[in-house]
Amino acid sequence: LKYGKKERGLPTSSGASTWRYTYADVVFITDETSTLEITSWALPGSGLDVELANITDAMQKEHIEACYKIRRDPSWWTSHTVVVVDQSGSMRMTDVKGGATRSDAVWLTLALDFLSKQLQDGL
């Protein structure tokens, strides 16, 4: 890694030294030579914030009842959508400094464009 704030990381379970880099709201843990990435993650609060939806007591009750019905009789389950989301290391990258990770953008798009439409349409 060439960029970011460099700090000594915690040792691995085998006692090997690591480095911790923070760059564009992503933390990278590398080996002692800084040439092998061990893991990385976006900092909490980075990315896109979504306004919380108001869940009423009636909505919560309806959800609990639907879950109970499905557990009792799986034929009530009518959804046939499967979503596969790439969670490889590149999805933890941000394309704009201080912006959302690629993974954040995918999940936000699924929530706002796919799920919310189905919920509004009563599917």
PDB file of all heavy atoms in Angstrom, residues 72-99:
ATOM      1  N   ARG A  72     -45.172 -22.286  10.214  1.00  0.00           N
ATOM      2  CA  ARG A  72     -46.165 -23.332  10.404  1.00  0.00           C
ATOM      3  C   ARG A  72     -46.495 -24.054   9.095  1.00  0.00           C
ATOM      4  O   ARG A  72     -46.684 -25.266   9.068  1.00  0.00           O
ATOM      5  CB  ARG A  72     -47.435 -22.727  11.016  1.00  0.00           C
ATOM      6  CG  ARG A  72     -48.301 -23.762  11.720  1.00  0.00           C
ATOM      7  CD  ARG A  72     -49.516 -23.155  12.372  1.00  0.00           C
ATOM      8  NE  ARG A  72     -50.436 -22.691  11.337  1.00  0.00           N
ATOM      9  CZ  ARG A  72     -50.991 -21.474  11.306  1.00  0.00           C
ATOM     10  NH1 ARG A  72     -50.737 -20.610  12.246  1.00  0.00           N
ATOM     11  NH2 ARG A  72     -51.808 -21.127  10.339  1.00  0.00           N
ATOM     12  N   ASP A  73     -46.549 -23.278   7.994  1.00  0.00           N
ATOM     13  CA  ASP A  73     -46.899 -23.848   6.696  1.00  0.00           C
ATOM     14  C   ASP A  73     -46.060 -23.174   5.613  1.00  0.00           C
ATOM     15  O   ASP A  73     -46.408 -22.098   5.129  1.00  0.00           O
ATOM     16  CB  ASP A  73     -48.392 -23.640   6.419  1.00  0.00           C
ATOM     17  CG  ASP A  73     -48.824 -24.237   5.094  1.00  0.00           C
ATOM     18  OD1 ASP A  73     -48.000 -24.870   4.401  1.00  0.00           O
ATOM     19  OD2 ASP A  73     -50.014 -24.056   4.750  1.00  0.00           O
ATOM     20  N   PRO A  74     -44.940 -23.805   5.212  1.00  0.00           N
ATOM     21  CA  PRO A  74     -44.029 -23.186   4.234  1.00  0.00           C
ATOM     22  C   PRO A  74     -44.672 -22.847   2.896  1.00  0.00           C
ATOM     23  O   PRO A  74     -44.117 -22.069   2.125  1.00  0.00           O
ATOM     24  CB  PRO A  74     -42.932 -24.237   4.057  1.00  0.00           C
ATOM     25  CG  PRO A  74     -42.958 -25.034   5.311  1.00  0.00           C
ATOM     26  CD  PRO A  74     -44.400 -25.055   5.737  1.00  0.00           C
ATOM     27  N   SER A  75     -45.848 -23.397   2.590  1.00  0.00           N
ATOM     28  CA  SER A  75     -46.487 -23.071   1.313  1.00  0.00           C
ATOM     29  C   SER A  75     -46.922 -21.600   1.256  1.00  0.00           C
ATOM     30  O   SER A  75     -47.213 -21.078   0.185  1.00  0.00           O
ATOM     31  CB  SER A  75     -47.682 -23.988   1.053  1.00  0.00           C
ATOM     32  OG  SER A  75     -48.737 -23.701   1.948  1.00  0.00           O
ATOM     33  N   TRP A  76     -46.970 -20.915   2.412  1.00  0.00           N
ATOM     34  CA  TRP A  76     -47.276 -19.490   2.427  1.00  0.00           C
ATOM     35  C   TRP A  76     -46.138 -18.674   1.817  1.00  0.00           C
ATOM     36  O   TRP A  76     -46.322 -17.534   1.431  1.00  0.00           O
ATOM     37  CB  TRP A  76     -47.529 -19.009   3.859  1.00  0.00           C
ATOM     38  CG  TRP A  76     -48.911 -19.299   4.333  1.00  0.00           C
ATOM     39  CD1 TRP A  76     -49.330 -20.400   5.010  1.00  0.00           C
ATOM     40  CD2 TRP A  76     -50.069 -18.487   4.156  1.00  0.00           C
ATOM     41  NE1 TRP A  76     -50.657 -20.335   5.271  1.00  0.00           N
ATOM     42  CE2 TRP A  76     -51.144 -19.149   4.763  1.00  0.00           C
ATOM     43  CE3 TRP A  76     -50.296 -17.255   3.558  1.00  0.00           C
ATOM     44  CZ2 TRP A  76     -52.428 -18.631   4.773  1.00  0.00           C
ATOM     45  CZ3 TRP A  76     -51.569 -16.738   3.574  1.00  0.00           C
ATOM     46  CH2 TRP A  76     -52.623 -17.419   4.174  1.00  0.00           C
ATOM     47  N   TRP A  77     -44.950 -19.245   1.778  1.00  0.00           N
ATOM     48  CA  TRP A  77     -43.786 -18.547   1.214  1.00  0.00           C
ATOM     49  C   TRP A  77     -43.944 -18.492  -0.294  1.00  0.00           C
ATOM     50  O   TRP A  77     -43.987 -19.515  -0.954  1.00  0.00           O
ATOM     51  CB  TRP A  77     -42.502 -19.301   1.581  1.00  0.00           C
ATOM     52  CG  TRP A  77     -41.265 -18.568   1.160  1.00  0.00           C
ATOM     53  CD1 TRP A  77     -40.614 -18.691  -0.011  1.00  0.00           C
ATOM     54  CD2 TRP A  77     -40.557 -17.599   1.911  1.00  0.00           C
ATOM     55  NE1 TRP A  77     -39.539 -17.862  -0.052  1.00  0.00           N
ATOM     56  CE2 TRP A  77     -39.475 -17.176   1.125  1.00  0.00           C
ATOM     57  CE3 TRP A  77     -40.738 -17.041   3.172  1.00  0.00           C
ATOM     58  CZ2 TRP A  77     -38.556 -16.224   1.564  1.00  0.00           C
ATOM     59  CZ3 TRP A  77     -39.819 -16.104   3.594  1.00  0.00           C
ATOM     60  CH2 TRP A  77     -38.743 -15.707   2.797  1.00  0.00           C
ATOM     61  N   THR A  78     -44.028 -17.305  -0.860  1.00  0.00           N
ATOM     62  CA  THR A  78     -44.271 -17.179  -2.298  1.00  0.00           C
ATOM     63  C   THR A  78     -43.145 -16.455  -3.033  1.00  0.00           C
ATOM     64  O   THR A  78     -43.233 -16.247  -4.234  1.00  0.00           O
ATOM     65  CB  THR A  78     -45.590 -16.437  -2.559  1.00  0.00           C
ATOM     66  OG1 THR A  78     -45.509 -15.142  -1.957  1.00  0.00           O
ATOM     67  CG2 THR A  78     -46.769 -17.209  -1.988  1.00  0.00           C
ATOM     68  N   SER A  79     -42.117 -16.057  -2.328  1.00  0.00           N
ATOM     69  CA  SER A  79     -41.022 -15.337  -2.967  1.00  0.00           C
ATOM     70  C   SER A  79     -40.073 -16.304  -3.662  1.00  0.00           C
ATOM     71  O   SER A  79     -39.746 -17.359  -3.130  1.00  0.00           O
ATOM     72  CB  SER A  79     -40.241 -14.539  -1.924  1.00  0.00           C
ATOM     73  OG  SER A  79     -39.113 -13.950  -2.514  1.00  0.00           O
ATOM     74  N   HIS A  80     -39.642 -15.940  -4.856  1.00  0.00           N
ATOM     75  CA  HIS A  80     -38.717 -16.784  -5.602  1.00  0.00           C
ATOM     76  C   HIS A  80     -37.528 -15.978  -6.100  1.00  0.00           C
ATOM     77  O   HIS A  80     -36.915 -16.324  -7.089  1.00  0.00           O
ATOM     78  CB  HIS A  80     -39.437 -17.439  -6.789  1.00  0.00           C
ATOM     79  CG  HIS A  80     -40.568 -18.297  -6.348  1.00  0.00           C
ATOM     80  ND1 HIS A  80     -40.388 -19.506  -5.733  1.00  0.00           N
ATOM     81  CD2 HIS A  80     -41.904 -18.090  -6.401  1.00  0.00           C
ATOM     82  CE1 HIS A  80     -41.573 -20.025  -5.441  1.00  0.00           C
ATOM     83  NE2 HIS A  80     -42.501 -19.181  -5.834  1.00  0.00           N
ATOM     84  N   THR A  81     -37.200 -14.910  -5.427  1.00  0.00           N
ATOM     85  CA  THR A  81     -36.088 -14.055  -5.829  1.00  0.00           C
ATOM     86  C   THR A  81     -34.837 -14.455  -5.062  1.00  0.00           C
ATOM     87  O   THR A  81     -34.863 -14.611  -3.848  1.00  0.00           O
ATOM     88  CB  THR A  81     -36.410 -12.575  -5.539  1.00  0.00           C
ATOM     89  OG1 THR A  81     -37.601 -12.233  -6.228  1.00  0.00           O
ATOM     90  CG2 THR A  81     -35.277 -11.678  -5.970  1.00  0.00           C
ATOM     91  N   VAL A  82     -33.750 -14.610  -5.792  1.00  0.00           N
ATOM     92  CA  VAL A  82     -32.452 -14.873  -5.186  1.00  0.00           C
ATOM     93  C   VAL A  82     -31.516 -13.764  -5.636  1.00  0.00           C
ATOM     94  O   VAL A  82     -31.408 -13.479  -6.830  1.00  0.00           O
ATOM     95  CB  VAL A  82     -31.880 -16.238  -5.618  1.00  0.00           C
ATOM     96  CG1 VAL A  82     -30.487 -16.438  -5.066  1.00  0.00           C
ATOM     97  CG2 VAL A  82     -32.809 -17.357  -5.195  1.00  0.00           C
ATOM     98  N   VAL A  83     -30.864 -13.111  -4.702  1.00  0.00           N
ATOM     99  CA  VAL A  83     -29.935 -12.040  -5.020  1.00  0.00           C
ATOM    100  C   VAL A  83     -28.543 -12.488  -4.598  1.00  0.00           C
ATOM    101  O   VAL A  83     -28.334 -12.893  -3.459  1.00  0.00           O
ATOM    102  CB  VAL A  83     -30.313 -10.733  -4.292  1.00  0.00           C
ATOM    103  CG1 VAL A  83     -29.299  -9.639  -4.569  1.00  0.00           C
ATOM    104  CG2 VAL A  83     -31.708 -10.291  -4.690  1.00  0.00           C
ATOM    105  N   VAL A  84     -27.608 -12.420  -5.521  1.00  0.00           N
ATOM    106  CA  VAL A  84     -26.212 -12.750  -5.232  1.00  0.00           C
ATOM    107  C   VAL A  84     -25.417 -11.460  -5.342  1.00  0.00           C
ATOM    108  O   VAL A  84     -25.466 -10.782  -6.374  1.00  0.00           O
ATOM    109  CB  VAL A  84     -25.669 -13.807  -6.227  1.00  0.00           C
ATOM    110  CG1 VAL A  84     -24.207 -14.099  -5.940  1.00  0.00           C
ATOM    111  CG2 VAL A  84     -26.507 -15.075  -6.163  1.00  0.00           C
ATOM    112  N   VAL A  85     -24.720 -11.104  -4.275  1.00  0.00           N
ATOM    113  CA  VAL A  85     -23.949  -9.868  -4.264  1.00  0.00           C
ATOM    114  C   VAL A  85     -22.481 -10.201  -4.030  1.00  0.00           C
ATOM    115  O   VAL A  85     -22.128 -10.841  -3.043  1.00  0.00           O
ATOM    116  CB  VAL A  85     -24.459  -8.903  -3.164  1.00  0.00           C
ATOM    117  CG1 VAL A  85     -23.618  -7.639  -3.125  1.00  0.00           C
ATOM    118  CG2 VAL A  85     -25.922  -8.563  -3.395  1.00  0.00           C
ATOM    119  N   ASP A  86     -21.657  -9.761  -4.946  1.00  0.00           N
ATOM    120  CA  ASP A  86     -20.202  -9.935  -4.847  1.00  0.00           C
ATOM    121  C   ASP A  86     -19.703  -9.229  -3.589  1.00  0.00           C
ATOM    122  O   ASP A  86     -19.997  -8.062  -3.375  1.00  0.00           O
ATOM    123  CB  ASP A  86     -19.567  -9.324  -6.101  1.00  0.00           C
ATOM    124  CG  ASP A  86     -18.047  -9.347  -6.084  1.00  0.00           C
ATOM    125  OD1 ASP A  86     -17.455  -9.931  -5.165  1.00  0.00           O
ATOM    126  OD2 ASP A  86     -17.451  -8.779  -7.012  1.00  0.00           O
ATOM    127  N   GLN A  87     -18.986  -9.931  -2.747  1.00  0.00           N
ATOM    128  CA  GLN A  87     -18.406  -9.332  -1.544  1.00  0.00           C
ATOM    129  C   GLN A  87     -16.888  -9.488  -1.535  1.00  0.00           C
ATOM    130  O   GLN A  87     -16.267  -9.563  -0.483  1.00  0.00           O
ATOM    131  CB  GLN A  87     -19.022  -9.962  -0.288  1.00  0.00           C
ATOM    132  CG  GLN A  87     -20.475  -9.610  -0.080  1.00  0.00           C
ATOM    133  CD  GLN A  87     -20.672  -8.133   0.173  1.00  0.00           C
ATOM    134  OE1 GLN A  87     -20.362  -7.615   1.226  1.00  0.00           O
ATOM    135  NE2 GLN A  87     -21.188  -7.427  -0.831  1.00  0.00           N
ATOM    136  N   SER A  88     -16.293  -9.535  -2.723  1.00  0.00           N
ATOM    137  CA  SER A  88     -14.842  -9.655  -2.823  1.00  0.00           C
ATOM    138  C   SER A  88     -14.176  -8.368  -2.346  1.00  0.00           C
ATOM    139  O   SER A  88     -14.841  -7.359  -2.095  1.00  0.00           O
ATOM    140  CB  SER A  88     -14.443  -9.957  -4.270  1.00  0.00           C
ATOM    141  OG  SER A  88     -14.775  -8.862  -5.099  1.00  0.00           O
ATOM    142  N   GLY A  89     -12.892  -8.400  -2.233  1.00  0.00           N
ATOM    143  CA  GLY A  89     -12.139  -7.247  -1.738  1.00  0.00           C
ATOM    144  C   GLY A  89     -12.391  -5.974  -2.513  1.00  0.00           C
ATOM    145  O   GLY A  89     -12.429  -4.885  -1.937  1.00  0.00           O
ATOM    146  N   SER A  90     -12.583  -6.069  -3.827  1.00  0.00           N
ATOM    147  CA  SER A  90     -12.807  -4.861  -4.624  1.00  0.00           C
ATOM    148  C   SER A  90     -14.108  -4.170  -4.239  1.00  0.00           C
ATOM    149  O   SER A  90     -14.248  -2.960  -4.433  1.00  0.00           O
ATOM    150  CB  SER A  90     -12.805  -5.189  -6.116  1.00  0.00           C
ATOM    151  OG  SER A  90     -13.915  -5.996  -6.447  1.00  0.00           O
ATOM    152  N   MET A  91     -15.068  -4.911  -3.688  1.00  0.00           N
ATOM    153  CA  MET A  91     -16.343  -4.314  -3.290  1.00  0.00           C
ATOM    154  C   MET A  91     -16.200  -3.457  -2.031  1.00  0.00           C
ATOM    155  O   MET A  91     -17.090  -2.698  -1.689  1.00  0.00           O
ATOM    156  CB  MET A  91     -17.399  -5.399  -3.076  1.00  0.00           C
ATOM    157  CG  MET A  91     -17.765  -6.128  -4.347  1.00  0.00           C
ATOM    158  SD  MET A  91     -18.480  -5.053  -5.591  1.00  0.00           S
ATOM    159  CE  MET A  91     -20.126  -4.826  -4.926  1.00  0.00           C
ATOM    160  N   ARG A  92     -15.059  -3.573  -1.336  1.00  0.00           N
ATOM    161  CA  ARG A  92     -14.811  -2.748  -0.148  1.00  0.00           C
ATOM    162  C   ARG A  92     -14.164  -1.411  -0.512  1.00  0.00           C
ATOM    163  O   ARG A  92     -13.923  -0.582   0.346  1.00  0.00           O
ATOM    164  CB  ARG A  92     -13.904  -3.501   0.823  1.00  0.00           C
ATOM    165  CG  ARG A  92     -14.533  -4.748   1.361  1.00  0.00           C
ATOM    166  CD  ARG A  92     -13.622  -5.399   2.383  1.00  0.00           C
ATOM    167  NE  ARG A  92     -13.827  -6.839   2.328  1.00  0.00           N
ATOM    168  CZ  ARG A  92     -12.875  -7.728   2.250  1.00  0.00           C
ATOM    169  NH1 ARG A  92     -11.624  -7.363   2.260  1.00  0.00           N
ATOM    170  NH2 ARG A  92     -13.154  -9.003   2.196  1.00  0.00           N
ATOM    171  N   MET A  93     -13.857  -1.255  -1.793  1.00  0.00           N
ATOM    172  CA  MET A  93     -13.202  -0.033  -2.250  1.00  0.00           C
ATOM    173  C   MET A  93     -14.231   1.080  -2.434  1.00  0.00           C
ATOM    174  O   MET A  93     -15.387   0.833  -2.727  1.00  0.00           O
ATOM    175  CB  MET A  93     -12.484  -0.283  -3.579  1.00  0.00           C
ATOM    176  CG  MET A  93     -11.454  -1.400  -3.515  1.00  0.00           C
ATOM    177  SD  MET A  93     -10.166  -1.159  -2.288  1.00  0.00           S
ATOM    178  CE  MET A  93      -9.315   0.227  -2.977  1.00  0.00           C
ATOM    179  N   THR A  94     -13.762   2.317  -2.252  1.00  0.00           N
ATOM    180  CA  THR A  94     -14.602   3.471  -2.538  1.00  0.00           C
ATOM    181  C   THR A  94     -14.104   4.086  -3.834  1.00  0.00           C
ATOM    182  O   THR A  94     -12.905   4.159  -4.081  1.00  0.00           O
ATOM    183  CB  THR A  94     -14.523   4.519  -1.410  1.00  0.00           C
ATOM    184  OG1 THR A  94     -13.172   4.885  -1.216  1.00  0.00           O
ATOM    185  CG2 THR A  94     -15.104   3.986  -0.122  1.00  0.00           C
ATOM    186  N   ASP A  95     -15.012   4.490  -4.677  1.00  0.00           N
ATOM    187  CA  ASP A  95     -14.628   5.107  -5.942  1.00  0.00           C
ATOM    188  C   ASP A  95     -14.466   6.619  -5.811  1.00  0.00           C
ATOM    189  O   ASP A  95     -13.887   7.258  -6.673  1.00  0.00           O
ATOM    190  CB  ASP A  95     -15.663   4.774  -7.026  1.00  0.00           C
ATOM    191  CG  ASP A  95     -15.640   3.290  -7.357  1.00  0.00           C
ATOM    192  OD1 ASP A  95     -14.544   2.731  -7.473  1.00  0.00           O
ATOM    193  OD2 ASP A  95     -16.721   2.697  -7.491  1.00  0.00           O
ATOM    194  N   VAL A  96     -14.988   7.177  -4.726  1.00  0.00           N
ATOM    195  CA  VAL A  96     -14.862   8.604  -4.458  1.00  0.00           C
ATOM    196  C   VAL A  96     -14.415   8.751  -3.011  1.00  0.00           C
ATOM    197  O   VAL A  96     -14.983   8.118  -2.117  1.00  0.00           O
ATOM    198  CB  VAL A  96     -16.223   9.325  -4.659  1.00  0.00           C
ATOM    199  CG1 VAL A  96     -16.104  10.790  -4.316  1.00  0.00           C
ATOM    200  CG2 VAL A  96     -16.731   9.128  -6.062  1.00  0.00           C
ATOM    201  N   LYS A  97     -13.390   9.567  -2.759  1.00  0.00           N
ATOM    202  CA  LYS A  97     -12.893   9.743  -1.395  1.00  0.00           C
ATOM    203  C   LYS A  97     -14.027  10.166  -0.463  1.00  0.00           C
ATOM    204  O   LYS A  97     -14.776  11.083  -0.755  1.00  0.00           O
ATOM    205  CB  LYS A  97     -11.773  10.779  -1.355  1.00  0.00           C
ATOM    206  CG  LYS A  97     -11.182  10.898   0.036  1.00  0.00           C
ATOM    207  CD  LYS A  97     -10.009  11.814   0.096  1.00  0.00           C
ATOM    208  CE  LYS A  97      -9.573  11.873   1.553  1.00  0.00           C
ATOM    209  NZ  LYS A  97      -8.286  12.300   1.785  1.00  0.00           N
ATOM    210  N   GLY A  98     -14.150   9.445   0.630  1.00  0.00           N
ATOM    211  CA  GLY A  98     -15.193   9.741   1.598  1.00  0.00           C
ATOM    212  C   GLY A  98     -16.556   9.214   1.199  1.00  0.00           C
ATOM    213  O   GLY A  98     -17.537   9.411   1.898  1.00  0.00           O
ATOM    214  N   GLY A  99     -16.621   8.531   0.069  1.00  0.00           N
ATOM    215  CA  GLY A  99     -17.890   8.016  -0.425  1.00  0.00           C
ATOM    216  C   GLY A  99     -18.171   6.625   0.073  1.00  0.00           C
ATOM    217  O   GLY A  99     -17.435   6.049   0.865  1.00  0.00           O
TER     218      GLY A  99
END
